[in-house]
Every structure is written in structure tokens, then in C-alpha cells.
């Protein structure tokens, strides 16, 4: 696939993934399974560090707001990068899994920095 403009970059990156996923149902199931595991793992990581940091107060409220900011940035970045023409549901799954993972990683880093 030849890149003619900047809008062709997501297609150049993700079209081989589309081709691979459509080759067989097993490939599709691997892609969906990996996305599901990533979503569940991200949610668990975020929940664990949310509980470890504790209740909302002046100090932790800023941490939770910055974590939400990172989630929003990840969603916006994924909207820009992922193609909208094909495999929309799969990329929707990966978009939110990566966004929750970004928030969880931020919480984990802040927990290690502030509480350890």
C-alpha cells in the first residue's frame, strides 16, 4: 500500500492487521481475545491502584484528575491513529483498553512516587 497523504498512514499501518484477521476465524478470535484480556487487565490495574491511593482529598484528587486527563489523551490519540473505515468494533475495544491502561499506569507511577 502506497502512502500518498498523511491520512493514509493509519490504513498503511492497520491494513495488514485487517488482512491477517480476515484470513481465518481463529485469527479474528486471537485479536478479540487479546483485546479483551488487555481491557480486563487494564481495568484491574486501574482499580487496584485507585484503591491503594485511597479516598478523595486535596492530594489524591489531583492524582485522579491527572489520571483522567491521561485517559482522555489516550482516547483522542487512538481516535486519530486508528482507522474508521474497517474493524471499528475491534479498534473501539483497543481504544478503551489502551485508555484505561494509560490511566492505570499513571496511577501506578504516582503511587510508587508518592506513597513508597
Amino acid at each position: 500500500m502506497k502512502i500518498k497523504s498523511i491520512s493514509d498512514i493509519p490504513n498503511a499501518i492497520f491494513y495488514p492487521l485487517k488482512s491477517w484477521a480476515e484470513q481465518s476465524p481463529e485469527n479474528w478470535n486471537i485479536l478479540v481475545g487479546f483485546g479483551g484480556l488487555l481491557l480486563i487487565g487494564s481495568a484491574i490495574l486501574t482499580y487496584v491502584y485507585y484503591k491503594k491511593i485511597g479516598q478523595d482529598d486535596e492530594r489524591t484528587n489531583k492524582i485522579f484528575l491527572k489520571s483522567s486527563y491521561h485517559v482522555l489523551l489516550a482516547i483522542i490519540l487512538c481516535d486519530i491513529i486508528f482507522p474508521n473505515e474497517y474493524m471499528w468494533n475491534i479498534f473501539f475495544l483497543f481504544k478503551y483498553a489502551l485508555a484505561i491502561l494509560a490511566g492505570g499506569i499513571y496511577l501506578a507511577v504516582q503511587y510508587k512516587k508518592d506513597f513508597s
Side-chain angles (χ1 to χ4, degrees):
M1 176 175 267
K2 218 168 217 195
I3 298 174
K4 295 177 183 170
S5 70
I6 200 126
S7 63
D8 291 338
I9 291 174
N11 289 332
I13 294 170
F14 295 109
Y15 192 78
L17 179 65
K18 176 186 183 265
S19 299
W20 175 79
E22 290 177 345
Q23 283 179 356
S24 72
E26 290 83 17
N27 292 350
W28 186 261
N29 290 338
I30 289 170
L31 192 61
V32 171
F34 180 72
L37 290 175
L38 183 64
L39 180 66
I40 292 169
S42 300
I44 290 170
L45 174 78
T46 303
Y47 180 76
V48 165
Y49 280 104
Y50 178 79
K51 286 297 185 183
K52 279 187 173 186
I53 289 176
Q55 296 180 354
D56 285 338
D57 59 14
E58 297 84 23
R59 179 179 48 90
T60 60
N61 196 27
K62 288 182 183 179
I63 295 172
F64 296 145
L65 286 174
K66 283 189 179 181
S67 174
S68 299
Y69 174 72
H70 284 85
V71 169
L72 178 64
L73 284 179
I75 289 172
I76 292 170
L77 185 64
C78 287
D79 277 340
I80 292 170
I81 293 173
F82 289 156
N84 297 353
E85 294 83 34
Y86 51 87
M87 293 176 40
W88 174 248
N89 290 331
I90 297 298
F91 291 127
F92 190 78
L93 171 68
F94 277 103
K95 174 173 67 172
Y96 284 101
L98 292 173
I100 293 170
L101 182 63
I105 289 173
Y106 179 79
L107 289 176
V109 167
Q110 283 301 115
Y111 179 79
K112 296 291 182 189
K113 187 170 28 170
D114 293 345
F115 299 100
S116 293

